[in-house]
């Protein structure tokens, strides 16, 4: 399996395999790969001539230094999982220097307000970091299609906005959330949960499903209050936020409008581990 640690060699290789109509599918990751990542790779493999996967724990998107320090780094295991899936996948696992060339700072982006809601409120600077790394990776890989999981729905909308504002020639594809058997959305952070926390974390998706049901007959404030009450009476999981927002603008809903598509967003803490999830309310 071709694996590159520097952009110059990767670009040279990609140029050498390029043919007039060939496509590159790209799956950016921070490693600690799980079935959710592998399903993005499978989709890319099915839809493109070549697939590139990047593995890079991007420092500029962590607002919490402790979270950055504890983020799992499992490159050997990750490359094994990728080659087991398909030995033709091209892996790019750069150093911070290869990406940031000595200056580990984010660019300032204007995402038309998408960055001010939910994750943006609780993780200042996070989306500038995401925008910086994704734009940089797109410049290096020049993908035809790029695949992002819908678990990070706000990130997905922000990447789409960044692509359209910068007139980048890449098609962004949002992919369904991959869940564990109990409904917990797959995440690299799940590895840090104890067996019992992992089992009990099914409360997150179960609550989203019930909120969706309630949203058919109740207004946004009522549903929000119900979710807050659920977590107030739970001693293990701390609710950071639950929001119902317009999928397009991510502006929180106070009164339902018929022409909008709504989505629920949640972030909870268990034992200092932050888990997020989302569901369409359509
Ligand atoms: O979703 C992620 O894993 C990261 O935010 C991404 C898109 C790889 C950028 O570092």
């Amino acid at each position: 399996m071709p694996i590159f640690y520097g952009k110059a060699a990767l670009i040279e290789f990609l140029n050498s395999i390029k043919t007039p109509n060939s496509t590159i599918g790209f799956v950016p990751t921070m490693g600690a790969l799980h079935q959710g990542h592998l399903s993005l790779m499978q989709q890319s493999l099915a839809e493109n001539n070549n697939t590139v996967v990047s593995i890079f724990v991007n420092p500029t998107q962590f607002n919490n230094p402790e979270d950055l320090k504890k983020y799992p780094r499992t490159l050997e295991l990750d490359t094994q999982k990728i080659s087991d899936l398909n030995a033709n996948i091209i892996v790019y696992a750069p150093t911070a220097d290869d990406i940031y060339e000595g200056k580990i700072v984010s660019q300032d982006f204007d995402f038309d307000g998408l960055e001010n809601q939910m994750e943006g409120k609780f993780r200042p600077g996070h989306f500038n970091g995401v925008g910086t790394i994704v734009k940089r990776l797109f410049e290096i890989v020049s993908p035809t299609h790029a695949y992002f999981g819908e678990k990070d729905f706000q990130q997905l909308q922000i990447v789409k906005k960044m692509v359209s504002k910068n007139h980048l020639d890449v098609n962004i594809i949002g992919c369904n959330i991959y869940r564990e058997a109990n409904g917990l959305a797959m995440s690299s952070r799940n590895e840090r949960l104890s067996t019992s926390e992992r089992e009990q974390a099914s409360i997150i998706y179960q609550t989203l499903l019930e909120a969706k049901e309630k949203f058919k007959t109740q207004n946004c404030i009522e549903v929000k209050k119900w979710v807050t009450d659920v977590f107030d009476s739970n001693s293990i999981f701390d609710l950071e936020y639950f929001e119902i927002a317009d999928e397009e603008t991510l502006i929180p809903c106070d009164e339902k409008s018929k022409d909008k598509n709504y989505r629920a967003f949640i972030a909870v803490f268990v034992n200092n581990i932050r888990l997020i999830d989302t569901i369409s309310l359509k």
Side-chain angles (χ1 to χ4, degrees), residues 107-119:
Q107 193 182 326
D108 261 336
F109 289 93
D110 171 8
F111 299 114
D112 288 346
L114 292 175
E115 71 278 28
N116 298 329
Q117 311 297 342
M118 298 163 304
E119 291 297 287

Side-chain angles (χ1 to χ4, degrees), residues 236-256:
I236 300 176
F237 295 88
D238 281 330
L239 183 65
E240 185 173 55
Y241 67 76
F242 171 81
E243 202 57 85
I244 295 176
D246 173 8
E247 276 197 353
E248 217 35 52
T249 62
L250 302 183
I251 293 176
C253 135
D254 18 65
E255 248 175 67
K256 279 192 211 174

Side-chain angles (χ1 to χ4, degrees), residues 165-202:
K165 284 196 142 190
N166 290 280
H167 312 288
L168 303 183
D169 190 15
V170 49
N171 184 24
I172 304 302
I173 300 178
C175 305
N176 288 341
I177 299 176
Y178 214 91
R179 297 186 179 278
E180 301 193 0
N182 70 355
L184 175 65
M186 293 242 178
S187 162
S188 306
R189 290 190 171 91
N190 295 357
E191 294 305 313
R192 290 168 54 199
L193 301 171
S194 69
T195 310
S196 141
E197 286 163 351
R198 202 156 170 160
E199 268 165 29
Q200 293 182 69
S202 62

Side-chain angles (χ1 to χ4, degrees), residues 27-31 37 54 56-58 61-62 71 126 129-131 133-134 137 147-149 152 155 159 188:
V27 182
T29 82
M30 296 205 299
H37 293 115
S54 65
F56 179 63
V57 181
N58 172 37
Q61 71 187 75
F62 285 82
Y71 204 86
H126 169 66
V130 170
I133 184 64
V134 172
L137 290 169
Y147 298 82
F148 292 83
D152 298 292
Q155 166 173 282
V159 169
S188 306

